[in-house]
Amino acid sequence: MSNQAIALENLFDADFYRANNTDLRNFNNQQALQHWRDYGLAEGRVFSPFVDLNFYRSRNADLANLNNRQLLDHLATWGLNEGRDFSRFIDLNFYRDSNPDLANQTNRQRFNHLLNFGADEARAFSPFIDINFYRAYNADLASLNNRQLFNHLIDWGLNEGRNFSPFIDLNFYRNSNRDLASFNNRQLWEHFTSYGRFELRSLDAIPYNAISGYGLVNAAAAVAAAIGQSPFPDVPDTGLFNVDNNRIKAPEVWNRGYTGQGVVVAVLDSGVDYRHSDLDSNIWTNTREIPGNGLDDDGNGKVDDIRGWDFVNNDNDPMDSLGHGTHVAGIIAAENSGFDATGVAYNAKIMPVRVASTYYYINGATLAAGIRYAADNGADIINLSLRVDPTYNEVSQAIRYAVGKGAVVVSAAGNRLSIGDIVPDYPARYATHFGIAVGAVDSFVNTLTNFSNRAGTTRLDYVTAPGRSVYSTLPGNRHGYDSGTSFAAPQVSGIAALILSANPNLSPVQVERLITANTNSTRSGFSLANSTNQTQGLAALSASFDSVTGDFIEPESNDFGSSNTA
């Protein structure tokens, strides 16, 4: 395949051609194709949402003298293999990096994959376009499939100024660049893709940097924004064991009565000690199963999965084998006993899903099965404090599936900075389009730990939370401290639970946006004034930036720095 040109017919989209050429709207598919071959291509008519010949010409000076037919022949025969830019909407390098199962394919093969499968599967194909975000913030488009959404964005959405990405705001781009004040939305997009992104112009009112992403999470601001209010006022700190809860302003949310009630958080990990006295009342129960009858009452393929499932041993006892998962679960939802650890969302329910038996190896198929189980059994949030080989395409597919089912996916960024892993590990790196990645800051200063993977220059939903010496539950009714992004991520899962307990009508995209736009750095950048209506825009407020760029170096106490458990 790599040495063959793509058939020109495969680049042609009859629906797109008709929609953009009103004089041809009555043509059937064969008539539209014949018209394009005979006239449309030479006339420069647009024929595909994936290919822009004018852009191809402008980005490749050696092709300036070619006519449209010659340009298309060049693209199909050589340009794709050479990795030339051919579209303002598609980035094949990004498509490769966001879909590790395509890493060994040529550009031509990747483009064919996008045409035939990727667009329908809503795979990430551009750092600046998010089809799920476009659907979530445009309720009138909810019934469109992924390919139709993409076509709508190109045909109408850009011109109408619709929101299509959490990372670029065309109104902000216009207002922050006076030389662009007279540009319409499509001209702004064309300027950004041709010049602005390379000139490092400001894209969005919400500040982001390659070290700490959007910065330290702020529960009081995020939950208040979820119900259209200003950040909740400060309350007195709640004690030594709650130092991290105080840092992320969870007590301010509790004071308003939002404690995670009604929210299920799946912990995919080494299991959970569901008998722990600080967790036993907050363990999810599968009410569709009759305990101990030896039957699969709910028909999900799991017999007597009363409290979750062990995908390592394939049984109904997800008891913790390492202690890691119990520590994570306590950070999310340890009961508010008045002493020892208190979870961020202490009235949420924990769904134990055991997918790991060691720190050093997690099977991708096992993890994917666990993610699908959690989504199918009603998990509102899925916590992934782990690392997996990116070649397991099942994991990325499972995450997309879970988000489609309404689950917020929160992943630890990883603890491998010391061995050169600067950007987040997988699955956290999927947060360009799916879920949230979480880095770790030190407990008393707002600087990233010396082990936490950084955000990276490619924008993704990356925030930070305390990850040094985090106090929580351990198996056998014990408590203790541990360090790692594994224990920063569940604090963000807890905040997501607080948000959903305040406003259960939000989509995963909206929850992610509320968290990233209301950190200590972004200062309540967005609010949902009417959260039951997804077309209600997120109103941009004033933003200030506390540049978090340094490292606070101290002896490392992270036991999981080189393991598959982040």
Side-chain angles (χ1 to χ4, degrees), residues 138-255:
N138 296 282
D140 58 314
L141 309 181
S143 64
L144 299 187
N145 64 35
N146 294 321
R147 191 177 295 269
Q148 290 170 329
L149 278 171
F150 183 47
N151 288 348
H152 185 279
L153 170 63
I154 297 173
D155 289 341
W156 297 288
L158 270 177
N159 287 343
E160 296 169 1
R162 298 202 183 208
N163 291 321
F164 60 87
S165 170
F167 305 128
I168 180 170
D169 180 336
L170 290 181
N171 286 325
F172 179 85
Y173 189 60
R174 178 190 290 110
N175 294 336
S176 61
N177 296 281
R178 293 182 180 179
D179 56 317
L180 310 180
S182 63
F183 281 31
N184 62 35
N185 290 322
R186 187 169 295 275
Q187 290 171 325
L188 284 170
W189 172 249
E190 292 174 354
H191 182 277
F192 168 69
T193 53
S194 296
Y195 309 105
R197 62 182 297 190
F198 305 107
E199 297 169 358
L200 302 181
R201 297 203 184 202
S202 297
L203 312 180
D204 187 49
I206 304 175
Y208 179 95
N209 71 64
I211 304 298
S212 59
Y214 291 105
L216 181 66
V217 289
N218 183 327
V223 177
I227 55 176
Q229 297 183 14
S230 299
F232 299 146
D234 290 344
V235 300
D237 288 350
T238 55
L240 176 63
F241 293 133
N242 282 321
V243 61
D244 294 323
N245 286 335
N246 295 331
R247 286 283 310 286
I248 64 173
K249 296 187 178 295
E252 284 77 358
V253 180
W254 305 339
N255 190 53

Side-chain angles (χ1 to χ4, degrees), residues 301-511:
K302 314 299 179 190
V303 174
D304 287 341
D305 55 325
I306 302 300
R307 58 177 71 87
W309 195 256
D310 179 350
F311 282 88
V312 177
N313 294 324
N314 195 31
D315 61 35
N316 59 13
D317 185 15
M319 179 58 74
D320 196 352
S321 60
L322 298 173
H324 190 272
T326 300
H327 205 70
V328 167
I331 294 168
I332 297 169
E335 300 160 27
N336 187 12
S337 61
F339 55 93
D340 279 323
T342 299
V344 175
Y346 59 76
N347 277 325
K349 298 298 183 183
I350 294 295
M351 180 190 293
V353 182
R354 184 169 180 253
V355 296
S357 58
T358 74
Y359 293 132
Y360 304 104
Y361 176 75
I362 292 177
N363 180 274
T366 300
L367 177 57
I371 293 170
R372 289 178 180 271
Y373 173 88
D376 287 339
N377 285 276
D380 301 295
I381 299 154
I382 297 174
N383 189 92
L384 303 176
S385 289
L386 44 80
R387 179 172 59 88
V388 70
D389 186 333
T391 59
Y392 286 112
N393 184 44
E394 303 102 314
V395 175
S396 63
Q397 290 176 335
I399 290 174
R400 291 198 299 271
Y401 176 80
V403 172
K405 296 275 284 189
V408 178
V409 178
V410 179
S411 302
N415 311 316
R416 294 157 55 84
L417 182 69
S418 63
I419 63 171
D421 279 7
I422 298 175
V423 299
D425 285 328
Y426 291 97
R429 206 180 304 180
Y430 294 127
T432 54
H433 287 70
F434 301 98
I436 304 176
V438 186
V441 295
D442 284 289
S443 293
F444 296 100
V445 290
N446 193 17
T447 53
L448 279 165
T449 62
N450 59 313
F451 54 78
S452 176
N453 291 30
R454 276 41 179 161
T457 55
T458 297
R459 285 203 175 200
L460 73 168
D461 284 342
Y462 179 109
V463 294
T464 63
R468 176 86 68 183
S469 299
V470 180
Y471 188 74
S472 184
T473 49
L474 292 171
N477 284 334
R478 296 179 298 119
H479 300 80
Y481 295 89
D482 219 328
S483 298
T485 58
S486 282
F487 312 116
Q491 295 174 62
V492 177
S493 291
I495 291 177
L498 294 177
I499 290 173
L500 289 174
S501 68
N503 187 343
N505 299 310
L506 300 173
S507 69
V509 169
Q510 288 176 315
V511 173

